[in-house]
Amino acid sequence: MDALQEYGPVPTDSSDTAAKAAIDVRRFPWIRRLAGAYAHDFESVAPFFAGNPASPDAWKSAIARAQSHPRRRDELARLVQAQLGARRSPDAAREAAARLRDPGTVAIVTGQQAGLFGGPMFTLLKAITTIQLAARVSEEHGVPTTPVFWVDAEDHDWDEVRACPVLDAELKYRAVALPEPPGANEVPVAWIRLDSSIERALDDLALTLAPTEFTESLMEALRLSYRPGVGMAEAFASWMDGLLGARGLVVFDASDPAAKVLSADLFLRELETPGRTASLAIESGRAMSARGHEPQVMPQEDSIALFRLDGARRPIRMRQGRLTIGDNAIDAATLAAEARERPDGFSPNVLLRPLVQDTLFPTACYVAGPSELAYLAQLGHIYEHFGVPMPLVYQRASATILDSASARFLARYDLPLESLQPRGEAGLNRLLESQLPASVESSLHDATAAVQAQLARVIESVRQVDPTLSGAAKTTLGRMEHDLKTLHQKIIQAVKRRDETLRRQFARAQAQAFPDGQPQERALAVVFFINRYGWGLVDRLTEELPLEMGRHWVLTV
């Protein structure tokens, strides 16, 4: 890659490496203020986190906490190895999993829902950041380190995972999606097994993507993971194995019933102190608000941070001093006995899931996106309540990938990336206006000013003759101002017709950077980029994407 520079014009490069440029994330209106503060002013948010990941001392402390906390490492290693063996994961992943037996090993963990065909691009960026960070920790601190991807397979929001959005051959935004299966949005995604509709979705994807030299191999790889009869979470984990398992990424399916045995004590503690987790999250949310940061979750005070799995994923609540599931009251002792004897009948909610993860794994650091960062900020006292060491948090890499033509376009006209986000032609109009001859703009400005000045005199004069004529004079002024604005728009339209090339270039760059008006990394699936740029893109991102918080990278491939 070219030398790092603060984002201005986007550098281009005809070599096999991707040119890059950096943008301070605080420039983006869609990025939470908390994310900018975390990267650039950590002291302002320090009370909500376990330490500053920019501090070597914070890393030493986090590593020591992860190593010293009692864990059932042998059982965990056997469990993970069983998953990897069943999926025939790469040897490098199995070797990384075997290291978990070592009491000195720490884990760098990230996670995401099991999105169709690998989910959005930010899923890959989270995994790559985790691999990079694990390598850095191992080198700088001399400890064995395993990168782990936690598949959040017990989430029941089917709509979050059912679609795979891509751009077609004309760079139009399209979403290939699975139909709604029985139990959708009620049962954990891990319980949903793929049927023949997955074959139709794969066929639709192949027809939607622009044909490239990589399309055939991409579709073959997807068909190996996504097959009728395979679970949605299992297919996702298999796909991630293929992408990054050879780099030592351990993909862990959190819905594995055997894993619940290792976190049963957390479930019991939650049931013994009903409502305490929710109240601690609420208190932290209020503290965040007091510092000007919006909390991610504000749970109901009667909520329990557990779901019961009994044919569906049902929330547990405390009402009038009694635990309830739906409309049915249940004895607390009975429910606790169930959690003790059959912990696989329970599932943590968003407030408890990180603690389950960090009870199983010796997590020194979690790699988070902007929204996750916000809710993790609410969990510090919850970690204390359960006696689980809170890990450091590291922001995932953030990036937009552009082809060289769009990068050259931005550079030529010195356009900031975010100017492409507004939908419609507002951004294009501003660009076209900037291309108008100075004499046109100045003459229109002068004409408007002259009309306003002269009509102001007329308005004052007619008021002395007949005050009722002032309204008519003002109406005349408004009509003339409107006519001048209309003339201005006609000039812009003439420029558009004259420079259709500029219009096409803007539309091409906008479609790539903000498909459907959303930031690219959130809007487009990983498979779109592999189809367009090839399998080597994954390796290049892993090897070359800078490991630096608070920056968004514009990559030219």
Side-chain angles (χ1 to χ4, degrees):
M1 288 189 176
D2 290 351
L4 173 65
Q5 58 179 305
E6 182 66 23
Y7 178 76
V10 178
T12 59
D13 188 347
S14 60
S15 71
D16 286 340
T17 57
K20 65 180 181 293
I23 304 175
D24 188 323
V25 297
R26 290 174 293 184
R27 273 179 34 185
F28 293 155
W30 61 87
I31 293 293
R32 288 174 175 266
R33 179 171 167 264
L34 178 67
Y38 190 85
H40 298 285
D41 183 20
F42 181 82
E43 289 306 312
S44 68
V45 296
F48 303 109
F49 297 98
N52 184 354
S55 165
D57 288 340
W59 276 102
K60 291 178 184 177
S61 297
I63 290 168
R65 291 195 301 270
Q67 291 172 328
S68 62
H69 187 70
R71 286 186 175 83
R72 296 155 72 172
R73 285 179 175 266
D74 286 343
E75 292 176 68
L76 172 65
R78 284 196 297 271
L79 170 62
V80 176
Q81 290 284 25
Q83 287 192 16
L84 299 182
R87 296 198 306 265
R88 299 181 181 178
S89 304
D91 290 342
R94 299 193 204 193
E95 292 167 5
R99 290 198 295 269
L100 292 169
R101 285 191 172 90
D102 184 338
T105 295
V106 298
I108 307 299
V109 182
T110 194
Q112 193 59 38
Q113 295 163 297
L116 181 64
F117 303 145
M121 184 61 176
F122 72 72
T123 302
L124 178 64
L125 295 176
K126 290 176 82 171
I128 286 174
T129 306
T130 302
I131 292 169
Q132 292 177 323
L133 194 57
R136 175 188 286 184
V137 170
S138 180
E139 179 181 354
E140 293 184 355
H141 296 276
V143 295
T145 309
T146 295
V148 176
F149 191 100
W150 178 281
V151 183
D152 188 9
E154 288 194 327
D155 190 278
H156 60 275
D157 192 342
W158 176 249
D159 293 333
E160 286 283 328
V161 300
R162 66 186 292 263
C164 173
V166 297
L167 299 179
D168 65 14
E170 297 179 351
L171 296 181
K172 300 296 184 183
Y173 183 79
R174 306 283 187 237
V176 175
L178 292 174
E180 187 171 292
N185 297 310
E186 293 182 0
V187 303
V189 167
W191 292 10
I192 295 175
R193 305 201 76 77
L194 301 172
D195 57 20
S196 60
S197 65
I198 191 62
E199 296 177 327
R200 293 191 294 273
L202 286 162
D203 291 341
D204 288 346
L205 179 65
L207 292 172
T208 302
L209 291 170
T212 70
E213 60 184 299
F214 311 110
T215 306
E216 183 177 355
S217 64
L218 169 64
M219 297 311 303
E220 287 179 358
L222 284 170
R223 291 181 193 278
L224 287 174
S225 294
Y226 287 86
R227 311 183 308 277
V230 174
M232 184 73 169
E234 180 186 351
F236 175 89
S238 174
W239 170 252
M240 292 297 292
D241 281 341
L243 282 183
L244 292 168
R247 290 189 172 271
L249 182 69
V250 173
V251 182
F252 180 75
D253 180 352
S255 68
D256 191 332
K260 301 297 181 68
V261 176
L262 304 183
S263 55
D265 288 346
L266 284 181
F267 299 166
L268 288 170
R269 175 75 167 159
E270 177 65 13
L271 292 171
E272 290 168 356
T273 56
R276 184 58 178 157
T277 297
S279 66
L280 289 171
I282 292 170
E283 290 172 14
S284 293
R286 290 171 179 157
M288 288 177 65
S289 297
R291 290 181 176 241
H293 298 292
E294 182 180 356
Q296 177 69 12
V297 291
M298 288 301 283
Q300 297 179 4
E301 293 185 2
D302 64 353
S303 65
I304 309 300
L306 282 176
F307 292 91
R308 189 185 190 188
L309 303 177
D310 56 357
R313 193 169 183 245
R314 306 184 191 281
I316 305 171
R317 300 192 183 282
M318 172 65 73
R319 292 176 179 167
Q320 297 179 343
R322 302 194 67 186
L323 293 176
T324 63
I325 300 175
D327 294 328
N328 300 319
I330 186 166
D331 180 70
T334 300
L335 200 59
E338 287 185 20
R340 186 180 301 106
E341 296 168 9
R342 291 193 60 252
D344 58 329
F346 294 82
S347 174
N349 77 356
V350 68
L351 296 177
L352 199 58
R353 184 205 61 76
L355 282 83
V356 172
Q357 160 198 291
D358 301 331
T359 295
L360 269 65
F361 289 93
T363 312
C365 183
Y366 183 81
V367 174
S371 294
E372 285 178 300
L373 188 71
Y375 88 77
L376 289 170
Q378 295 179 247
L379 303 189
H381 293 307
I382 297 175
Y383 273 94
E384 292 175 5
H385 171 63
F386 283 93
V388 178
M390 185 177 186
L392 299 181
V393 181
Y394 201 93
Q395 290 177 324
R396 68 163 173 84
S398 178
T400 296
I401 299 175
L402 299 177
D403 60 23
S404 57
S406 293
R408 286 194 299 270
F409 167 74
L410 290 182
R412 183 181 307 120
Y413 295 102
D414 197 22
L415 287 177
L417 180 72
E418 60 268 32
S419 69
L420 299 174
Q421 187 190 24
R423 297 192 185 192
E425 297 192 338
L428 176 61
N429 287 342
R430 285 193 292 272
L431 174 60
L432 291 169
E433 287 180 25
S434 71
Q435 302 306 304
L436 290 175
S439 58
V440 173
E441 282 295 324
S442 62
S443 59
L444 281 170
H445 179 271
D446 292 346
T448 301
V451 166
Q452 290 172 339
Q454 294 301 320
L455 263 294
R457 293 177 59 192
V458 171
I459 292 169
E460 182 61 30
S461 298
V462 299
R463 183 180 293 116
Q464 299 176 20
V465 176
D466 183 347
T468 63
L469 294 176
S470 294
K474 290 178 181 178
T475 300
T476 300
L477 172 59
R479 186 163 54 247
M480 295 177 72
E481 288 176 329
H482 177 267
D483 289 344
L484 285 169
K485 289 179 181 178
T486 300
L487 176 60
H488 188 230
Q489 290 301 314
K490 288 181 177 180
I491 293 171
I492 291 175
Q493 293 302 320
V495 172
K496 288 183 181 180
R497 290 190 296 271
R498 186 192 68 185
D499 201 348
E500 190 62 30
T501 298
L502 184 65
R503 186 187 186 95
R504 287 196 303 270
Q505 290 173 336
F506 185 93
R508 180 184 182 87
Q510 186 180 51
Q512 291 180 67
F514 294 96
D516 199 37
Q518 305 172 63
Q520 181 195 84
E521 62 185 11
R522 302 181 191 175
L524 294 183
V526 173
V527 293
F528 167 77
F529 299 94
I530 294 175
N531 179 71
R532 192 169 198 198
Y533 300 111
W535 297 99
L537 177 67
V538 178
D539 291 334
R540 287 158 61 183
L541 291 174
T542 305
E543 295 164 2
E544 301 171 12
L545 192 62
L547 190 59
E548 183 178 354
M549 296 193 305
R551 301 286 187 179
H552 180 88
W553 299 95
V554 180
L555 307 175
T556 307
V557 181

